[in-house]
């Protein structure tokens, strides 16, 4: 299964939008946090986990999904949210903690929830898996279309929830896909010192389901592998496990000094930035012209700028609204 | 004593009946948990459901509480209304993130755009020598963390009405049933729990306490099994000429502070009976809820009869020494008089 | 590695002791619980999980262990405790809830703890794994001899703790063995409807460690497989996973009506009772004579009777001792 | 204001120093947790230890809290003295069985024949917009379940002494440090937490509360961050001519009820300040501990300033609206007067 021209444009557009969005967020994040960096200050307070470099995973997978499909994401959800079609204005506003945010400012960047596109998050490692399996169960029981994808990091694979969810999805043959973003780091702990085997896709055998590893942070290869897994799920053939090699270009969170990285790793990663790589390939393959790409880039930027403006211009929530939405209305 | 037209059910049967009737009405309701299918639930509360509804809607699960309770959250967010069982509340530690960080909070995190209409039912309580990992109540633990309604019936009538209400609630509800009230063949059952239950479906409002015995000298507040201890103590106190009012909390979250406060305002005295550990739990909260509101109504320092802050011992003599009972409640009254 | 004559005698003796012990317990369990069965009554109140039929696992594994090795067991611990050398008198007394019990009556039958032979339990499924891994870590860090074995049921394999513990033990190459007693039931739920693959030993590959399945509930084969795994661990070569087919001759707990069992299963299991089978083989192989076996049997019975007598004759704990031992003395 | 010979340390450094000194003395002490090696702990409390002690004794773990906290229990039972970190207390739900059913209970289950000398250290608290899964205190949750000592320092002096005491204790100790007191570069720190810390090793007795400010009109009881809010409120009250006594609980289990009761007996008024959720937690327990003992000493109904029963919101205005602060404490005093 190869991506069509339109799909490739869509993928590139979403990668660029995600990158532009995070670049904008990163800049704003430091506002009010100088001269002494204090996470609590500025228009975007709290922790901030960027996904720069990991965009290929999101677009390669989400190219096969539609609004009714379910995605659960993690503490690092922006690229996935954008590729899944989460409302960018309201997501930006949520990250700013504004009343117009997806959750009226209650959730923040680790809790992006958009019912329109069935997107949810948990900031607890591995805990998006259960809900994704449950959504897949709901579709199977109701004979409703749709698959559920849980994105997790390679560090999350060593969490018990992974094992339980994979087994449950396999036993019940659910339309579920677990996508591992293997950026080789769990904060400061490298994969090889936390995970007993090199290739988590091999863990699929423990559940009698297909597992595939995709190397190279390559949107084309990811598209292929994800397409197969998702088609299987849609056909009622049960769950799959994908491990996708990717790179985290930035720190684990903003403010991370990254002293744990081996010397030279950062530079090497910058060289491998998947966005310019895809750009080059689109041109080489004759799938997009320079002017088409420039248009995508400027449109994406404009889209991001509009979203940021929307967020900035929105009102803070009423403080006492903190007390609402504890229970269903 | 039983009247004609009475339909006395155990709590186990009342729970199963509520689920059965709701499943007949609402195709989105289904049940998941360990041994809830062929076995009908270790505590009998899903008996008969597999035969009627089949294994799609009555799902035995692997021993994977994190996955299947997490899955209930995901299914609830996707339009289903799961009723999910945690066999013993003591097992909450293997799956509590799914409960208090997902089930409890996703409505809030999403600003209300995701609803999580699910019921987590779980057995509580000891008294039959099942030791420290199978006898706890941990009411306080569940009630402390925001986002979950928490109910605990003391009798079959309430059990049915609460279960139906819980399944219809758009918020997650934790339904804590006490093993000693359940009416299982192999476990002694407090007789007062097995009462008349109407056949038709009905709901009990979640968040309302009940004055189950009116009185004027002292208010005894409790829940679940403790209500029966309180009622027995009240009868003993009556022999001493003391008129005790008994309040059954029914619901821990929301907590009906008004009913408690009104009762204590009337009686001037408060004893809280709780099978959960004493410190940092239900008994403290009830006393604080009364005293922070108005101390002028109190004629004596409030007292609590709760499980001491020790793991639950196996040996019968030790466990019984720790458990609340009518004697201890009567004795609390005496201490109150002595002070 | 084949068991020596002495080892075979030891294995048979421990199987018989365990069976005799549980037969005695089973009889006493019903005292005071008639005419209306109520778990709370009688000299042995509470839940009671018997291991009849599963003795081969305990003896096949523990034949390779000595006092300093560590074992963690489950809600069904008697056979393992006996094979590990737990003090039978004090274990019986604990099960009766007496002051002379291993824990002075605080623990009961699901919480058998004997520091003399490094034996501990948890009644929570899968939760003996972490402590066994930790004991193995302690031995490795201190360069002290000893391996740690966690016994779990096949149902427990689907608990997250299994996955986390296996990965951790493998990453740290600890002297740890996970032994799965596959009796094909988790209470009323059959393995095939709870576990995505038929052979849990295959899950070892998810941790890059050896996995082996032993069929037939056969003490000889179990001895062999366990011997290999334990030798590996002692040699510093890291953990192993063993899945051992076994049978639960009785209900999950006493009082279990076992309505979930397929028709005929119980009878078939009784036919396959491993104790008479081993007895026959010992005779056929000329490893023991009829009189030797009779002596083992009567000695075992006498040992059990003495333990039960000790337990019966012991005092109840002082009720207020319930309040002691919460913290270390 | 700083005196000569003063050695002002942050809580992070005080904790690391305590561990360092104990590791030098006792080869059985080691540290396990996520990012406690090369990173030195997300909250800095193991900084420098990897260099000195190497990766055998300073062990980064996989993200497998159930396994490594369970492993700490097993290692503690086998003669080691693990210090294990749960990065944020909010994550307790993925591993709580290892904590409250093993770590907390194995001493009891074994009748004392197995000791579990381990320290579980974990960060608490919000105030910096980290939202509902990274800002909780859940003090009440840990303190409610028997078998664990629970401490929470409010300053670096106590932090060091408590850590050393915890490592030497033969019982399991939960050590809850507040992120806002920690002195991390990237997070604002309450200045009052960074105080003089003697270089040599010393212990603080676990289970003793401290009167950190004497007063006579009202007792303000708190812990961790709340102590600083209480002290600030006390200064403001002083301007109004009100003399507030501030009690720092230091330890939740054992709870030093005597010190609290003695203080309230003197002042006649009680305000409890707690950053944990209000209901069924610390604030209720403190109030109940006082009122069940003797209500005659109280001149007014006790008050609490605690986090309302809602998940912790992200948006700064909302979170700050919910958090305890000096204003709210002063206002609680006013309400007390008005009643
Ligand atoms: C249960 C749990 N443990 C620990 C954490 C803290 N934590 C947040 S992100 C992270 C690393 C996650 O690594 P990985 O899964 O590889 O995702 P990545 O950050 O690389 O995208 C950790 C340990 C958490 N949020 N939840
Ligand atoms: C976490 C947890 N979930 C559920 C239970 C209840 N329970 C006790 S034994 C059991 C079945 C265990 O099956 P298996 O692991 O195969 O062991 P077996 O009983 O067959 O020896 C269950 C579900 C428990 N004790 N702990
Ligand atoms: Mg990673
Ligand atoms: Mg089994």
């Amino acid at each position: 299964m190869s991506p069509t021209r339109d799909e490739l444009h869509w993928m590139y557009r979403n990668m660029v939008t995600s990158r532009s969005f995070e670049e904008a967020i990163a800049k704003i994040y430091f506002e009010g946090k100088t001269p002494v960096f204090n996470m609590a200050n500025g228009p975007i307070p709290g922790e901030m986990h960027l996904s720069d470099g990991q965009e290929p995973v999101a677009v390669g997978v989400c190219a096969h999904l539609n609004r009714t499909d379910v995605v659960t994401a993690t503490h690092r959800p922006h690229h996935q949210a954008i590729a899944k079609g989460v409302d960018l204005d309201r997501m930006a506003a949520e990250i700013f903690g504004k009343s117009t945010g997806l959750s009226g400012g209650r959730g923040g960047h680790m809790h992006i929830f958009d019912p329109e596109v069935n997107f949810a998050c948990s900031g607890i490692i591995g805990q998006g898996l259960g809900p994704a399996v449950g959504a897949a169960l709901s579709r199977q029981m109701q004979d409703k279309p749709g698959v559920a994808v849980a994105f997790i990091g390679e560090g999350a694979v060593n969490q018990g929830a992974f094992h339980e969810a994979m087994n449950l999805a396999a036993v019940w043959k659910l339309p579920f896909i677990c996508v591992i973003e293997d950026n080789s780091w769990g904060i400061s702990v490298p994969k090889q010192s936390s995970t007993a085997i090199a290739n988590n896709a091999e863990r699929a055998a423990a559940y009698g389901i297909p597992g595939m590893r995709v190397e190279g942070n390559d949107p084309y290869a990811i598209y292929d592998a994800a397409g197969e897994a998702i088609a299987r799920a849609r056909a009622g053939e049960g769950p799959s496990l994908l491990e996708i090699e990717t790179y985290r270009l930035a720190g684990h969170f903003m403010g991370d000094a990254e002293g744990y990285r081996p010397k030279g790793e950062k530079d090497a990663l910058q060289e491998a930035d998947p966005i310019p790589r895809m750009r080059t390939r689109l041109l080489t393959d004759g799938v997009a012209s320079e002017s088409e790409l420039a248009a995508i880039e400027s449109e994406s930027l404009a889209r991001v700028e509009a979203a940021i403006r929307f967020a900035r211009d929105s009102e803070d929530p009423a403080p006492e609204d903190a007390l609402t939405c504890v229970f269903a209305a | 004593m039983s009247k004609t037209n009475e339909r006395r059910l155990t709590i186990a049967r009342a729970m199963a009946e509520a689920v059965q009737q709701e499943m007949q009405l609402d195709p989105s309701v289904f049940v998941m948990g360990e041994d809830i299918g062929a076995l009908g639930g270790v505590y009998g509360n899903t008996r008969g459901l597999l035969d009627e509804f089949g294994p799609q809607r009555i799902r035995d699960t692997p021993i994977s509480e994190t996955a299947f309770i997490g899955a209930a959250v995901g299914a609830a967010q996707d339009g289903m209304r799961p009723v999910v069982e945690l066999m013993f509340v003591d097992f909450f530690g293997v799956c509590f993130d799914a409960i208090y960080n997902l089930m409890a909070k996703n409505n809030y995190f999403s600003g209300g755009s995701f609803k999580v209409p699910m019921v987590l039912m779980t057995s509580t309580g000891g008294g039959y020598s099942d030791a420290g990992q199978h006898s706890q109540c941990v009411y306080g633990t569940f009630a402390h963390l925001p986002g979950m309604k928490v109910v605990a019936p003391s009798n079959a009538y309430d059990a049915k009405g609460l279960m139906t209400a819980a399944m219809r609630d758009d918020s997650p509800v934790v339904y804590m049933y006490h093993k000693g009230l359940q009416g299982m063949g192999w476990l002694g059952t407090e007789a007062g729990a097995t009462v008349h239950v109407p056949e038709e479906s009905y709901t009990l409002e979640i968040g309302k306490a009940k004055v189950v015995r009116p009185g004027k000298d002292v208010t005894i507040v409790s829940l679940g099994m403790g209500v029966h201890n309180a009622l027995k103590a009240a009868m003993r106190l009556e022999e001493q000429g003391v008129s005790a009012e008994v309040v059954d909390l029914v619901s821990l979250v929301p907590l009906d502070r008004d009913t408690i406060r009104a009762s204590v305002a009337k009686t001037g005295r408060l004893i809280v009976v709780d099978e959960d550990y004493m410190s940092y739990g239900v008994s403290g909260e009830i006393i604080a809820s009364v005293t922070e509101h108005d101390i002028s109504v109190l004629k004596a320092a409030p007292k609590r009869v709760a499980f001491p802050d020790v793991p639950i011992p196996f040996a019968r003599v030790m466990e019984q020494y720790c458990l609340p009972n009518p004697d201890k409640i009567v004795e609390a009254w005496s201490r109150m008089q002595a002070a």
Side-chain angles (χ1 to χ4, degrees), chain B residues 285-296:
Chain B
E285 183 58 30
I286 302 299
I287 291 175
S289 294
V290 167
T291 55
E292 72 182 341
H293 179 66
D294 185 356
I295 48 166
S296 71

Side-chain angles (χ1 to χ4, degrees), chain A residues 123-302:
Chain A
I124 305 295
I125 295 306
Q127 291 290 328
L129 287 155
V133 169
L137 172 64
S138 159
R139 299 307 169 93
Q140 187 195 61
M141 287 182 71
Q142 298 180 74
D143 212 0
K144 271 199 332 199
V147 302
V149 175
F151 286 99
I152 61 171
E154 91 296 335
V157 177
N158 298 318
Q159 182 70 211
F162 167 82
H163 176 67
E164 295 194 6
M166 294 312 299
N167 182 66
L168 193 66
V171 165
W172 290 348
K173 226 178 168 187
L174 300 177
F176 166 76
I177 301 99
C178 174
V179 177
I180 304 166
E181 298 195 356
D182 177 10
N183 62 13
S184 81
W185 291 100
I187 309 185
S188 71
V189 180
K191 184 183 183 186
Q192 70 268 22
S193 70
S194 67
T195 305
I197 58 172
N199 175 1
N200 275 312
E202 289 172 11
R203 289 181 165 176
Y207 315 104
I209 62 170
M212 200 186 296
R213 181 170 166 89
V214 183
E215 309 273 353
N217 204 20
D218 171 8
Y220 295 77
I222 298 166
Y223 176 94
D224 287 356
E228 213 175 291
I230 292 167
R232 248 184 75 85
R234 289 204 202 285
E237 289 163 29
S240 302
L241 178 63
L242 288 183
E243 179 164 76
I244 299 177
E245 185 187 25
T246 187
Y247 317 116
R248 191 187 81 202
L249 297 179
H252 171 72
F253 59 94
M254 290 195 67
D256 180 358
E258 297 179 76
Y260 51 82
R261 293 240 207 208
K263 235 176 128 78
E265 176 170 304
K266 287 276 279 193
D267 294 343
L269 290 182
Q270 290 300 344
E271 304 250 309
D273 188 333
I275 294 184
R277 268 169 49 216
M278 185 173 188
R279 191 179 207 284
T280 306
R281 176 152 175 199
L282 288 169
L283 289 169
T284 322
D285 290 354
V287 172
S289 66
E290 178 60 47
S291 67
E292 281 174 320
L293 295 179
I296 288 176
E297 286 152 12
S298 63
E299 284 158 24
S300 298
L301 193 61

Side-chain angles (χ1 to χ4, degrees), chain B residues 69 84-86 99 103 118-122 142 173-175:
Chain B
I69 297 175
V84 63
E85 172 144 299
L86 176 64
I99 297 171
M103 176 182 115
M118 62 181 276
V119 183
L120 176 74
M121 56 185 182
T122 188
F142 279 74
V173 179
V174 180
Y175 186 107

Side-chain angles (χ1 to χ4, degrees), chain B residues 34-35 63-65 86-88 91 94 133-134:
Chain B
E34 292 155 16
D35 306 287
I63 311 174
S64 305
E65 290 86 353
L86 176 64
M87 190 190 287
F88 288 68
F91 309 158
V94 303
Q133 291 176 336
H134 291 79

